[in-house]
Amino acid sequence: MQKVITGVLIGIMSIVLIGCGATAKTIKQKTQNTRPDVFTEMKNDDTPSEGFVTLAIKATIKTPLEGYYLLELKDSMRGKPGYPFVINIDGQAAAWKVDGQKEILPLYDKDGKTSHDPEAGEGIKYVLEKKIQLRAGIHKVFLGLPNEDYFKELEIILQEGKTYTLEFKPIYKYKTQPTRIPSFKKGIKEYEAYLNNMHI
C-alpha cells in the first residue's frame, strides 16, 4: 500500500514538473524576437505616427518579501529588485524589469475580521507601466512571468485614432480550507485582462 501511495505521489509530482517545464519553455521562446518592427516604446508626451495607435500596458503583482518561502530558489526574483515581465506582441519581445515597493495592507478589517483583500499583509508590489505605439489592427499579445511559471495569451483589436489601455489584474490562489480567501502569498493563479476597462 505504501508503495502504491508513493508511486501516485511521484506520478503527480512528475506531471506538475512537466507542466512547469513546458510553461518555462514557452516563456523562454517568447523572449526571442522573431520580428523587430511591431511596436516602439513611447514617452508620456509622444503622439503616435499616422496609422499607429497608442497602447498603455499595465500589469501588477504582489509577492512576499525575500526569504518568505523556505524552499525558495536562489535565482527567484520574488521580493527583489528587477522582477521580470515578458511581453511579446506579434513576435516582437520585450523583457521589462520592475523594482517593487514594500506594501503593507491591514490583515483585519474595522470589525476585527480577517480581511478579504487578496493583497492584505506585508509584501513587495510590482507595477509594470509601459506606453507603446503599434499599427492599428489585430494583435496577439503574450504576457509571461518567468518567476511564476505563468503566461497568458490573448488577441486585441485596435482602431486607428484611438488610445488604449491594456491592463492585467492578478487573481491569486486560495489559502487552505476553510477560509477560501485568495492571498498573494499563495502565488498567482491567473490574470484577468481588460482593454479600456472592458474584460477580454
Side-chain angles (χ1 to χ4, degrees):
M1 184 67 175
Q2 183 69 31
K3 290 182 178 180
V4 173
I5 294 174
T6 302
V8 170
L9 289 174
I10 291 173
I12 292 172
M13 288 177 65
S14 297
I15 291 170
V16 170
L17 290 173
I18 289 169
C20 289
T23 300
K25 184 178 179 181
T26 299
I27 294 174
K28 187 175 181 180
Q29 289 173 342
K30 291 294 185 177
T31 62
Q32 306 301 313
N33 262 329
T34 58
R35 289 183 60 186
D37 58 346
V38 178
F39 64 87
T40 55
E41 286 192 54
M42 304 174 68
K43 296 179 181 178
N44 287 333
D45 55 351
D46 287 347
T47 55
S49 304
E50 186 176 348
F52 286 75
V53 299
T54 299
L55 176 66
I57 299 174
K58 182 176 181 179
T60 64
I61 188 171
K62 187 172 181 177
T63 74
L65 301 177
E66 181 182 356
Y68 175 81
Y69 298 107
L70 292 176
L71 301 177
E72 188 75 81
L73 298 175
K74 288 184 179 180
D75 60 352
S76 171
M77 295 306 298
R78 293 188 185 113
K80 300 177 184 177
Y83 188 91
F85 292 83
V86 173
I87 295 289
N88 187 304
I89 302 178
D90 300 339
Q92 182 174 343
W96 288 316
K97 295 183 178 181
V98 177
D99 293 335
Q101 297 291 326
K102 184 178 284 189
E103 180 183 78
I104 303 175
L105 298 180
L107 292 171
Y108 302 95
D109 61 22
K110 294 178 181 178
D111 299 325
K113 295 181 181 178
T114 301
S115 173
H116 283 71
D117 185 339
E119 295 191 343
E122 183 178 15
I124 302 295
K125 183 70 171 281
Y126 298 94
V127 180
L128 171 72
E129 290 183 296
K130 292 290 182 177
K131 183 180 176 184
I132 63 173
Q133 74 164 7
L134 66 171
R135 288 194 177 278
I138 301 173
H139 298 280
K140 291 183 178 180
V141 180
F142 173 97
L143 168 70
L145 300 182
N147 205 84
E148 312 300 327
D149 279 328
Y150 173 86
F151 70 84
K152 184 179 184 72
E153 294 181 291
L154 51 87
E155 192 172 85
I156 58 175
I157 302 174
L158 307 178
Q159 297 179 13
E160 186 175 353
K162 292 188 176 182
T163 299
Y164 295 89
T165 297
L166 177 61
E167 184 172 5
F168 294 93
K169 297 182 180 181
I171 305 296
Y172 298 103
K173 295 176 183 176
Y174 287 102
K175 294 180 182 178
T176 54
Q177 293 285 2
T179 59
R180 297 295 289 170
I181 298 173
S183 171
F184 74 94
K185 293 181 179 178
K186 293 298 179 180
I188 190 77
K189 178 183 178 184
E190 62 178 319
Y191 273 100
E192 289 186 335
Y194 296 83
L195 186 64
N196 285 2
N197 295 318
M198 296 290 292
H199 186 268
I200 56 175

